[in-house]
Amino acid sequence: MTEVETGESPVIQAIKQKINESYARQDYTRDWLNLRDMNITELPEDIFAGDRCAHLRHIILSRNLLASLPENIFANCTQLQGISLDHNELS
């Protein structure tokens, strides 16, 4: 689907695809979501909403272009133990 069809940028579509792939895995890598080096400039506040992210223990957002994160963006990631945010524009 294109951005016009979904109303989402290709980067957001790729993030959602990676979330779905992580959720579907049945091995130890299921706990990790690697979003490193994707040129992410912003994340919608509901990107980690619902139960599809509850299993995640580690989210890697390193080496992107994030300047801020929505408040409570990781609220549904109830098993989260670590978030990598190095090499972004966060202050």
Side-chain angles (χ1 to χ4, degrees):
M1 284 189 206
T2 66
E3 183 174 353
V4 173
E5 292 171 5
T6 65
E8 297 175 337
S9 73
V11 171
I12 298 302
Q13 290 176 13
I15 293 168
K16 287 185 175 182
Q17 179 65 31
K18 285 186 171 266
I19 290 170
N20 288 336
E21 289 170 1
S22 172
Y23 186 76
R25 285 193 298 258
Q26 297 300 315
D27 60 14
Y28 73 95
T29 63
R30 180 177 194 249
D31 297 345
W32 291 76
L33 180 61
N34 187 354
L35 302 175
R36 181 180 181 186
D37 289 317
M38 290 186 63
N39 293 316
I40 301 168
T41 57
E42 63 183 339
L43 291 169
E45 63 184 63
D46 64 345
I47 193 72
F48 298 117
D51 64 348
R52 293 189 95 49
C53 294
H55 68 284
L56 293 173
R57 293 183 187 271
H58 304 278
I59 298 175
I60 302 168
L61 286 162
S62 303
R63 299 191 177 273
N64 282 291
L65 303 169
L66 293 167
S68 65
L69 291 171
E71 190 172 335
N72 299 318
I73 189 169
F74 303 111
N76 290 321
C77 303
T78 56
Q79 301 297 313
L80 198 59
Q81 296 175 357
I83 304 167
S84 296
L85 292 166
D86 58 288
H87 294 91
N88 276 285
E89 304 296 321
L90 298 166
S91 55

